[in-house]
Structures are given as C-alpha cells and as structure tokens.
Amino acid sequence: MTTGQLIIVDHVVALLSVAAWSATGAAAATRRARLALGLLAAAVLVTLARVITVALLAGRGWWFVQEKVLLGLPMLGAAGLAAVLVAGPRLLAAARAAGDGISASSVVLLLTAGYAALAGLVVTFLAGYPLTWSTGLIAGSLVAAGALLTARVVAAPAAGSGDADIAPTQTLHGKPRFSRRRFISLAGGAAVAGTGATGLGLSFVRAESAATGDGPGPSSGSGPAVSVAELRGSGTPAPGGAMRQYALTAQTAIVRLPSGREVDAWTFNGELPGPPITATVGDLIEVTLRNTDIDDGVTLHWHGYDVACGEDGVPALTQDVVAPGEQFVYRFRADQAGTYWYHTHQVSDLGVRRGLYGTLVVTPRGASREQPDLTLPVHTFDGTVVIAGQDGRAEHAAPAGTNVRLRLINTDPVPHRFALAGTPFRVTAVDGRDLNQSGEVSDAGLRLPAGGRYDLVFVMPDTSVALILDNDHAGGVRLRPDRPAGATGADPAVEDISGWPELDLLSYGTPAAVPFDAGSRADRHFTMVLDRGAAVVDGRPAYAQTVNGRGHPSIPDQLVAEGDLVRFTVVNRSLETHPWHLHGHPVLIQSRDGTPSSGSPLWMDTFDVRPGQVWEVAFRATNPGIWMNHCHNLPHAERGMMLRLRYDGVTTPFHDSHHTH
Ligand SMILES: [Cu+2]
C-alpha cells in the first residue's frame, strides 16, 4: 500500500472512531444500554485499528504521524480508557437489568472520547506537522471545555437520579449556592479557558525569519551586503556567440486557434504561446519586456534556466513588477543547452493560465541537430488542450530514417501523461539536462510534472508515429513519414495505451559520476512538509497550502552560504501532487521514499512529490541571490506554498505593495 493510500485509510478510520464514540455516548444518553454496549465494543475496536494505521504510517516517516502520536491518540486513549472503565461496567449492569441506571458521568466520558477523537482529526486537518504547543493547548482545552459543558447539560436532568457527583447543588429556594462543587466547576472552567487562551496567544508568536538548516546563522556584517539588483547577467556573448534580441510585449488579445475557437487571452505579442526564444550556447539573449495593458503587471521568469538572480523575474524580490507602459530588459548568456520555458511570475496562476508563457530552447554549438526538432509546449485554455499553438491534432512530416526530437513542455499546473506510439524512443533529457546513456523504451507512459520538460529522440520509421496526450487519441501530434506523393502513413495500430506502465526516471539510464551523492555530508538540510491547513497567507487567514504548517510569506527563509551543499527532504502529507520547483538551481535527485536513484544522474528543476511521497534532493549553492522555492501548481503557490532560499549577505531593495507573486 502506498503511503498516500495509507493516509486515506487512516483518515477513514479516524472518522469512524469519531462516529463510534459519539454514537456510543448518544446511545448511553438515551438509555439504550444494549446498543451502547455494542457501540462501545465497536469504538474500542476502531480505536485499536487506529493505533495500527498510525503505527503503519509511522513506519513511513515521523512527519506523517507526529500530531497523531503526541496529541490525537493520547487524548483519545485517555478519554476512551476512562469511558471504558467507568461506563463499561455500568452499561453491562444496565443491559443485564434491562433498565436504566446509566450514570451521567458515563455519558459525559463517552461523549468526551468522541470529542477527543474529533479533536485529533481536526488537528490533523487544520494544523498537521509540526505539532506546536499552541495547537496542543487549544485542542486539549476545547476537549475539556466540551466535557465540562456536556457535564452541565447531561447532569441537569439527571439531578436526583442517583448521580449526585455532577448534579448542581441547589438551595431550598432554587437559587444556586456558591458551594465547593460549584467552585471546582468554576475553577475547572477558568483553567480550561486559561489554557485555551495561552494556546491562542502562542499561535500569534512570529516564526523565525530564517531557518539555517543546521548550518551557521547569518554572518553579521562580515562582508558588504549584495543587492539582487546588482546580480545581473553577462552583457556580452561568449567569443563567437551572437546577440539574440527579442521584444516581448504583454497585451490582452483575442487569439483565434487553428480550430477557429477564440481565446480571450493575456499574451506576449498577441501570440499563444509567446514568441519562441532560441539561441545557441554562447549567445547573449536580450529580451525587452513591455507591458501594454496587463493591469496586474508582468515579469519574465526563465523556468529552469540558471540566470543571475537579478534576471530571475520575481516581482518584489528581484525586480519591480512591469506595470502598463513600463519596460524591463533581461540579459543573460545562453550557457546551458536544453529545453526550457518562460512565463510571468506576477499573479502567476492567472497570468500563466491565460497565456503569458513561451518556450526557450538553447542548442549546443556546432552539434548536428535532429530534424525535425519540434518544441511542444502543452497548455490548457478553459479545458481546450493546445500543443504549440495547435488545438486538435497537429500533423508533421519527417523523412523515414532521420532522428526526430520532440521537446515536451508542461506549462499547466497539473501533470500530463504522454505516450509515444509507433516507435521505440529514448528520453534524452529531463528539464533541459541530458541523461546519461538512456536506453530505448517503448510502450511506456511518460508523466510530465507541471513545469517540467522531456526531450524524446527516435529514428523516424516508415510508418506513422503518434504522440498521445492524456489518452486522447483524437488530439496530440502525428508524424507521417515523408513518402512519394499520394502515399500517407496510416495511424500506428495503437492498442490501449492507458495500460502502459509509467517510465520511472529514477531507474532509467546509466549511473555516472556525480559531484555529490546521498552519502555526502550536507552543509544545510531543510525539511519541507507539504500539507493543507489553517494558516495566514498574505495577511489573511485561509485554508492554505502549507509548508511546515505555514503559508507565504510567514514561512521562514532558508538561509544558505555560497558553496554550501544543500539537501532538501520534501514530504507530501497531503492528498494532492506538489510539483516542487526551486529557482536558480537544478537539484540532483537522491532518493524517493528511501529508494536511491539508480539510473542516470537525474537533475531536475521541477519534481512531482505525489501524496505520501518523500523526496531527497541536493544541490550546490553556487548562484547567489534570493530565490523562490515553491510548488509549481501555481494555484497552490498562491494559496501559500511558497518560500525563499536566501544566500547569506544578499538583500533586496524591491518591496511589495499588493502583489507578492
Ligand atoms: Cu502544490
């Protein structure tokens, strides 16, 4: 069973325990002793089952169970045990005597077990990992308050029925007397309220502004601070390189797709996708970004391309947002070959979704190129899948026997599944970086994370080849072999590709020497536990997408020093996939769920952390700046799942008024 499935099972069992304890209490309160007895047995069994699911989950990692082991189960265990010890014998006696005699305290304890079970579940859903004193105190005080209130309600009608320990004391005239019991009850209430208030108060304590990941803290004033505004790209091409100048103008436009369908889009130069940017290694890329009428503003982020920080295009961090009528010039040298893309990083969820994206392809200098070499960004506009500007099926011709390269780019916030039918092929590059001796594969599905890229290379057969996206046989891309006029390649006989196994890149290709590996001692180690929960995002309380229980911008920066070997452990406690994306650095995948990467060294800038998964990745901090580190499911990022990796000594002069994305 995967950890994701185990998390769901545990949620279900937790819900059942809430239902079982509450139903037992209700049955006892309504004097149905036999029913209550049966339900009590069920509640005990479900609680024991819960102990098992939590134990199994603990085997997958402490992050998945911390609040359950330290808070939820102890609360439920204590309340449940008390309920069994007090209510059990009384329910048994009552069932035998077939009469009443179920004490108020039994009812209170049974219902309190229900509250404790519920509190544990709520803590899991709202607070998650890491468990804080604040959460513990609030949850504990709420359960206790529930017990006290229930005691008052349940005890009132039960007064005089032989359960004097909870019945309120009354004077002859019917007015409450300030008795010892009443004093205890008041003191209990005050203690509960005080505990809850303390917990609430603690929740307002600010987090540290930076996490050091077991490395040294900031070196105060040992060197001059460097501003990201000074960290700009090279202004000249490498010897022999060319200037590649582009002008991109952000503007709203109605774009007519090949099918005739019109898209009310935000575009660069009125095109969907924006103009393709291409270069040869050593060229200087210069892009002048202007904004005509995108009121929210725009920037250009070079996804996966390790530009200098000042070119990274993050508004309010590496530059000011480009408002209508303004412009910004990006310059950087194309020194890594491969398949990349660009997109706005301002209100990025909406901006990218509506069309502010394009491709960036850099080819090696002097190398012979595959032909055709097709760049295929996939984007979804209101449910219509558009591949390289084409909705519906795209057709291309290729001479049989030639090498063909397909550059798959996922510009959507969710993963896509590709299948290439009609030929064996190789995945030669992932996220722009070449794989080492990747072998031929066929009949395998390829899952491409949001933001990710795969380069596929194959020899064109003398029959057709089909690139199928998300099992949609009608769309996608077809390559027909070039043949004498009149001859057409029939579609490849495609069987049911939905059953094709997914190629696992962690065991694909051939190992090679790497600059560091899982055994290398990291200078910094950061754990990011991804989840949903109650958190403050951009100053507003929200049911957020969280990292370590917090939302942007309250998640501590990750502090590193230049030269550090940095390791990330990324844990997904939630039931959604999180494509994790660090700006400015590719990361070397070390392991997933404890299984080391065993194929080609795998460098990625966006890796899909699926529900329940734990990824270990590492990188060398060699690109000074302040870098976004976030989920590339952009709606998740906007709901809080975003933080910054900050090099010691680097500052930013850019500040935010409204938009932080
Ligand atoms: Cu996400």
Side-chain angles (χ1 to χ4, degrees), residues 413 530 545 572 574 576-580 609 630-637 641:
L530 315 179
Q545 299 280 353
N572 187 352
S574 79
E576 298 163 286
T577 291
H578 299 297
W580 201 257
V609 187
H630 66 97
C631 178
H632 215 281
N633 183 322
L634 297 174
H636 292 183
M641 200 170 265

Side-chain angles (χ1 to χ4, degrees), residues 379-392:
H379 199 84
T380 306
F381 293 97
D382 294 331
T384 299
V385 173
V386 175
I387 304 179
Q390 174 93 36
D391 58 336

Side-chain angles (χ1 to χ4, degrees), residues 565-582:
L565 178 62
V566 185
R567 181 167 290 134
F568 285 165
T569 300
V570 189
V571 181
N572 187 352
R573 264 180 61 118
S574 79
L575 300 176
E576 298 163 286
T577 291
H578 299 297
W580 201 257
H581 174 54
L582 170 65

Side-chain angles (χ1 to χ4, degrees), residues 456-540:
L456 312 186
V457 171
F458 59 91
V459 177
M460 186 67 201
D462 55 10
T463 50
S464 286
V465 170
L467 178 71
I468 297 162
L469 180 65
D470 298 328
N471 300 326
D472 172 20
H473 289 254
V477 176
R478 294 294 183 279
L479 287 110
R480 311 280 182 201
D482 265 348
R483 289 196 194 172
T488 56
D491 249 27
V494 178
E495 63 273 41
D496 184 15
I497 57 163
S498 62
W500 285 4
E502 189 182 305
L503 180 70
D504 186 1
L505 294 173
L506 265 74
S507 55
Y508 179 62
T510 311
V514 285
F516 45 83
D517 60 23
S520 307
R521 203 194 68 80
D523 300 297
R524 312 264 180 176
H525 181 196
F526 300 100
T527 300
M528 289 172 273
V529 179
L530 315 179
D531 205 351
R532 302 281 319 248
V536 175
V537 178
D538 294 325
R540 286 184 297 275

Side-chain angles (χ1 to χ4, degrees), residues 15 63 66 71 81 94 118 128 165 170 187 226 265 271 285 310 353 405 456 471 486 505 536 583-584 628 634:
L15 205 56
W63 317 281
Q66 186 204 32
L71 182 68
L81 189 64
L118 180 62
D165 52 352
Q170 308 221 313
V226 177
E271 301 167 25
I285 296 176
R353 184 153 34 92
R405 179 179 292 253
L456 312 186
N471 300 326
L505 294 173
V536 175
H583 287 206
M628 296 309 296
L634 297 174

Side-chain angles (χ1 to χ4, degrees), residues 261-620:
R261 195 190 137 96
E262 291 186 332
V263 179
D264 183 2
W266 292 359
T267 70
F268 291 116
N269 300 7
E271 301 167 25
L272 287 183
I277 293 179
T278 59
T280 303
V281 169
D283 290 353
L284 185 84
I285 296 176
E286 181 185 285
V287 181
T288 303
L289 170 69
R290 296 187 181 88
N291 182 359
T292 301
D293 60 353
I294 305 297
D295 294 336
D296 287 309
V298 66
T299 64
L300 289 175
H301 167 61
W302 311 97
H303 186 112
Y305 218 70
D306 304 329
V307 296
C309 192
E311 313 289 346
D312 197 44
V314 179
L317 180 61
T318 68
Q319 67 173 96
D320 287 322
V321 69
V322 178
E326 296 180 346
Q327 70 167 46
F328 189 92
V329 180
Y330 299 88
R331 269 187 213 93
F332 55 93
R333 203 179 268 180
D335 34 35
Q336 359 166 169
T339 306
Y340 304 89
W341 63 298
Y342 63 83
H343 62 81
T344 184
H345 220 281
Q346 168 72 354
V347 290
S348 54
D349 169 28
L350 186 62
V352 177
R353 184 153 34 92
R354 296 198 69 176
L356 291 172
Y357 72 98
T359 61
L360 167 65
V361 171
V362 178
T363 46
R365 194 190 293 214
S368 65
R369 303 249 324 254
E370 294 88 5
Q371 280 303 336
D373 181 335
L374 301 175
T375 303
L376 302 171
V378 172
H379 199 84
T380 306
F381 293 97
D382 294 331
T384 299
V385 173
V386 175
I387 304 179
Q390 174 93 36
D391 58 336
R393 185 187 289 187
E395 303 266 351
H396 295 271
T402 59
N403 281 319
V404 178
R405 179 179 292 253
L406 304 181
R407 301 174 186 267
L408 312 182
I409 306 176
N410 184 356
T411 67
D412 277 333
V414 292
H416 282 295
R417 188 178 192 272
F418 290 88
L420 192 65
T423 178
F425 63 95
R426 294 181 298 128
V427 181
T428 59
V430 171
D431 287 359
R433 280 90 183 169
D434 286 346
L435 297 183
N436 182 48
Q437 297 173 26
S438 45
E440 241 176 26
V441 287
S442 48
D443 299 355
L446 296 172
R447 178 178 150 128
L448 184 56
R453 287 90 60 213
Y454 294 154
D455 284 25
L456 312 186
V457 171
F458 59 91
V459 177
M460 186 67 201
D462 55 10
T463 50
S464 286
V465 170
L467 178 71
I468 297 162
L469 180 65
D470 298 328
N471 300 326
D472 172 20
H473 289 254
V477 176
R478 294 294 183 279
L479 287 110
R480 311 280 182 201
D482 265 348
R483 289 196 194 172
T488 56
D491 249 27
V494 178
E495 63 273 41
D496 184 15
I497 57 163
S498 62
W500 285 4
E502 189 182 305
L503 180 70
D504 186 1
L505 294 173
L506 265 74
S507 55
Y508 179 62
T510 311
V514 285
F516 45 83
D517 60 23
S520 307
R521 203 194 68 80
D523 300 297
R524 312 264 180 176
H525 181 196
F526 300 100
T527 300
M528 289 172 273
V529 179
L530 315 179
D531 205 351
R532 302 281 319 248
V536 175
V537 178
D538 294 325
R540 286 184 297 275
Y543 191 52
Q545 299 280 353
T546 59
V547 180
N548 300 336
R550 292 185 174 266
H552 174 84
S554 314
I555 306 167
D557 289 356
Q558 294 167 332
L559 183 75
V560 301
E562 192 170 356
D564 279 351
L565 178 62
V566 185
R567 181 167 290 134
F568 285 165
T569 300
V570 189
V571 181
N572 187 352
R573 264 180 61 118
S574 79
L575 300 176
E576 298 163 286
T577 291
H578 299 297
W580 201 257
H581 174 54
L582 170 65
H583 287 206
H585 313 70
V587 298
L588 180 63
I589 309 299
Q590 304 199 313
S591 71
R592 183 187 58 215
D593 295 339
T595 305
S597 174
S598 60
S600 162
L602 186 57
W603 294 89
M604 302 179 91
D605 49 62
T606 321
F607 51 98
D608 250 356
V609 187
R610 299 193 219 180
Q613 285 188 341
V614 179
W615 287 65
E616 295 254 352
V617 306
F619 61 96
R620 184 71 68 181

Side-chain angles (χ1 to χ4, degrees), residues 89-161:
R90 298 201 187 184
L91 286 177
L92 262 178
R96 285 214 190 92
D100 59 12
I102 302 173
S103 67
S105 54
S106 299
V107 174
V108 171
L109 286 169
L110 288 167
L111 286 174
T112 301
Y115 304 154
L118 180 62
L121 192 61
V122 169
V123 164
T124 289
F125 274 91
L126 292 187
Y129 181 94
L131 180 67
T132 60
W133 278 105
S134 166
T135 301
L137 293 177
I138 293 173
S141 65
L142 284 177
V143 171
L148 286 178
L149 284 172
T150 306
R152 287 189 77 93
V153 172
V154 171
S161 70

Side-chain angles (χ1 to χ4, degrees), residues 35-49:
L35 179 62
L37 209 52
L39 286 169
L40 179 61
V44 170
L45 285 177
V46 172
T47 304
L48 292 175

